[in-house]
Amino acid sequence: MSLDLSHHLSSEARIRRPNPMKAIWRLARRKADMISLANGDPHFSLYPIRKVEFEVASVGDNVDDPVASWRLSGGSAPSQTFSSSTESSPGKLPLKSALQYSAGAGLPDAQRAVTELTNYYHSPPDHIATLTLGNGDGVAKLFRLLGDAGDHFLADEFSFSSLTNAPLSHGIKWVSVKIDEGGLIPENLKQILANWNVESQGKRPHVLYTVPCGQNPTGSTLSLERRQRIYELAQRFDFIIIEDDPYYYLQYDPLDFDDAMSDAPFQYIPSFLSMDIDGRVMRVDSFSKIMAPGMRLGWITSNPTFHEHLVHFTDSSTHHPHAFGQIFITEMLSSAGWQLSGFDRWIRSLRLEYQRRRDIFMRAFLRDVASTGLATADFPEAGMFVWIKVDIEKHPRFRRSIVGAQGDLAGVDQSGVSRCLGPKTNVAQLMEELFERCLDDGLVVMPASIFVTPSDAKVSGSNDEPIEDRLNFMRATFAGPEETMEPALRILANVLKNFFADSSSGYDSPVADNSL
């Protein structure tokens, strides 16, 4: 039985009322033979669409590797079709109902399909699905559902900026939690919450936003042990976990630097949702990374109370997601399509394809970039990204000093310990110059600076080590064209060698100490 977590709802969510027209729409479905003079839907006979047919990759038992077969065989690859028509046969979703207006949770058939999918992989005890326009829409709605102006939310110190920017205009503030190669550090999260001073800092943070698998941008994946520890902290300090997990299905086998593959059978890491006994996890899923990004279709799995408020919000804002995407996933997961077993075959084949690309990228990285001694990277266990660490301390113009720079601006934390609130090095300037040099040589990478969670250093979990001094990273992807990986990494290697050999130009601040 879920806890009563309604105290986490924002003031906006509490005062929002159900859309009365949508309430009538739900009443109209009380009986199959109801006659309605209430709705404003165009009649289905006037839709200029009679049939929608999807041709998709075959995932039958006769196809050993459906993704490889689909990718390599082109037009001759085995395929199967499923369709929806105005007058579909029983058990299928007909266009005449699918293309009408529906409620915020989505078409009942589509909602049922993603619920079965969620149950298959996560088995949550008491949760309901709400369809969304992809992860971005879902996460942004959750921020508004849970946050009031002046609230503090928790997030990884490096996060996907379009989402961490979303609640700022509503007056929500971020507290960044330190991460390492294993993702969010539970001990730092505990330290932030245990030392929070309500009198001076306001209400303690009650929402954690995190991407547990293949975190964007760092590619890190939380271990089961860290997830269990974080959930225990959520119970202890009473916060909600927004589990944004678009890369869940793209988890990979571990690969050591000696190419030694594990013999253990592959298993997905249990999600926060799968361990949620309180109803405090709100999981956000998407088809963008496993079907097509332009589908813009996803779903939130939450406890019934939060689901109800999400529906009220959706019914008075974006309304339900587009029908064509809902038709596709409903038919795909039905007996006429892939079904759950076929979907599982596809995504397990897909993860092996991305794993193959990861391995190509990392072998080239080790050969061309890591061999320079100027950069390193860990093998990502999930997702699409490699977080490249530049050994910026080796640069001849690297400076470490707290004299004459912003680093001499200090604050005092709750324990009375003086903390540095500004950068103590010129890492940010050097990395900006390196980024420009990559562009000049025809290579685009994402600098770490654009992923910094916009938090107040006075309440951040990393104010003893300013994030400006840890911007010596760049994000690269192995999800793009395979043929560009090796040329791109050769460019990066050359840029690094030339940049580290240059001591005569660029930013160089006055310093008092250059010791390492």
Side-chain angles (χ1 to χ4, degrees):
M1 186 69 178
S2 296
L3 296 176
D4 180 3
L5 298 169
S6 58
H7 58 282
H8 287 286
L9 291 167
S10 67
S11 299
E12 177 188 0
R14 293 171 188 272
I15 64 175
R16 188 181 295 115
R17 294 293 176 260
N19 183 324
M21 294 185 67
K22 296 294 185 179
I24 296 293
W25 180 87
R26 283 187 284 271
L27 291 174
R29 293 178 175 248
R30 181 181 295 172
K31 293 172 60 178
D33 57 350
M34 292 283 280
I35 300 174
S36 176
L37 296 179
N39 62 316
D41 296 17
H43 192 265
F44 69 85
S45 65
L46 302 179
Y47 304 165
I49 305 169
R50 181 174 294 124
K51 183 178 182 180
V52 176
E53 186 172 79
F54 301 96
E55 182 179 4
V56 299
S58 175
V59 293
D61 294 337
N62 60 322
V63 182
D64 293 332
D65 189 342
V67 172
S69 174
W70 187 252
R71 181 177 64 87
L72 298 173
S73 301
S76 62
S79 66
Q80 64 186 95
T81 61
F82 49 85
S83 64
S84 176
S85 64
T86 306
E87 300 290 346
S88 287
S89 60
K92 300 190 71 176
L93 181 59
L95 289 181
K96 68 178 183 181
S97 58
L99 294 178
Q100 293 176 356
Y101 294 130
S102 65
L107 293 167
D109 296 271
Q111 186 186 11
R112 189 159 43 248
V114 297
T115 297
E116 292 174 356
L117 184 63
T118 301
N119 290 340
Y120 186 84
Y121 289 98
H122 308 286
S123 301
D126 185 23
H127 295 70
I128 302 178
T130 311
L131 289 169
T132 67
L133 294 166
N135 279 53
D137 173 59
V139 172
K141 283 177 177 172
L142 293 185
F143 289 160
R144 288 183 62 179
L145 190 79
L146 300 170
D148 284 320
D151 280 359
H152 288 88
F153 283 6
L154 300 149
D156 304 330
E157 61 182 347
F158 292 104
S159 295
F160 188 48
S161 52
S162 68
L163 287 179
T164 51
N165 285 343
L168 298 179
S169 61
H170 301 293
I172 296 169
K173 303 175 183 178
W174 287 108
V175 180
S176 62
V177 185
K178 289 188 72 172
I179 60 177
D180 59 16
E181 63 277 2
L184 184 149
I185 303 173
E187 290 72 22
N188 188 244
L189 176 61
K190 177 185 176 182
Q191 178 186 26
I192 292 169
L193 295 169
N195 294 333
W196 192 268
N197 188 312
V198 176
E199 291 184 2
S200 62
Q201 297 174 293
K203 185 171 71 174
R204 190 167 60 195
H206 70 111
V207 174
L208 168 66
Y209 168 70
T210 188
V211 180
C213 291
Q215 196 261 7
N216 187 1
T218 67
S220 61
T221 296
L222 289 169
S223 66
L224 175 59
E225 292 73 22
R226 286 199 182 191
R227 293 174 196 231
Q228 291 170 331
R229 180 62 178 138
I230 291 168
Y231 189 79
E232 290 170 359
L233 291 172
Q235 292 180 306
R236 174 179 171 183
F237 291 101
D238 186 26
F239 61 81
I240 302 297
I241 299 174
I242 298 178
E243 181 179 29
D244 184 9
D245 210 1
Y247 308 106
Y248 172 81
Y249 298 106
L250 303 182
Q251 297 182 43
Y252 312 126
D253 295 300
L255 180 62
D256 297 325
F257 287 102
D258 61 359
D259 290 353
M261 297 296 295
S262 170
D263 293 329
F266 175 80
Q267 291 184 325
Y268 290 106
I269 299 176
S271 63
F272 282 114
L273 182 66
S274 68
M275 60 183 70
D276 184 24
I277 58 175
D278 295 342
R280 64 176 65 254
V281 173
M282 305 183 79
R283 179 178 173 84
V284 188
D285 278 288
S286 173
F287 289 103
S288 295
K289 303 299 188 286
I290 52 178
M291 292 295 163
M295 278 187 66
R296 305 312 307 160
L297 191 69
W299 68 103
I300 296 168
T301 308
S302 67
N303 72 46
T305 298
F306 290 161
H307 165 76
E308 181 181 2
H309 284 275
L310 278 169
V311 171
H312 295 341
F313 185 7
T314 301
D315 280 341
S316 296
S317 58
T318 59
H319 297 276
H320 57 84
H322 53 95
F324 291 107
Q326 295 190 70
I327 292 169
F328 175 77
I329 62 168
T330 303
E331 299 296 347
M332 178 189 70
L333 294 171
S334 73
S335 59
W338 281 356
Q339 304 181 56
L340 278 172
S341 58
F343 174 84
D344 189 65
R345 282 177 57 83
W346 173 260
I347 56 111
R348 288 182 182 274
S349 177
L350 187 65
R351 80 164 190 90
L352 290 176
E353 169 61 21
Y354 276 109
Q355 179 174 294
R356 184 186 67 83
R357 291 170 181 250
R358 176 203 67 173
D359 296 348
I360 291 173
F361 183 101
M362 291 305 300
R363 288 190 182 98
F365 179 87
L366 292 174
R367 182 188 65 236
D368 296 327
V369 181
S371 62
T372 66
L374 303 173
T376 57
D378 293 321
F379 279 88
E381 297 177 16
M384 298 178 167
F385 304 113
V386 177
W387 194 233
I388 300 172
K389 180 181 181 181
V390 178
D391 294 330
I392 200 69
E393 297 90 347
K394 296 179 180 179
H395 196 278
R397 285 187 278 113
F398 171 76
R399 298 292 183 263
R400 174 178 286 135
S401 173
I402 60 171
V403 178
Q406 295 180 25
D408 57 358
L409 301 176
V412 178
D413 69 10
Q414 300 306 309
S415 62
V417 178
S418 179
R419 300 290 190 182
C420 174
L421 301 183
K424 296 182 284 188
T425 70
N426 61 343
V427 167
Q429 292 80 10
L430 288 173
M431 288 303 297
E432 181 178 357
E433 184 180 340
L434 177 60
F435 171 70
E436 292 292 337
R437 293 203 183 193
C438 286
L439 291 178
D440 289 343
D441 279 29
L443 175 64
V444 183
V445 291
M446 289 291 188
S449 58
I450 71 170
F451 297 107
V452 173
T453 298
S455 61
D456 183 348
K458 289 179 288 187
V459 296
S460 168
S462 57
N463 54 18
D464 57 337
E465 189 181 3
I467 200 165
E468 294 91 343
D469 295 328
R470 293 180 287 112
L471 295 179
N472 54 313
F473 294 89
M474 54 182 65
R475 191 197 77 175
T477 181
F478 50 87
E482 186 176 331
E483 62 274 12
T484 65
M485 293 183 194
E486 293 191 8
L489 291 171
R490 285 196 293 268
I491 293 174
L492 178 58
N494 288 330
V495 170
L496 285 170
K497 286 185 284 190
N498 292 333
F499 177 59
F500 276 78
D502 184 1
S503 61
S504 61
S505 63
Y507 176 88
D508 196 359
S509 62
V511 296
D513 177 22
N514 189 31
S515 63
L516 300 181

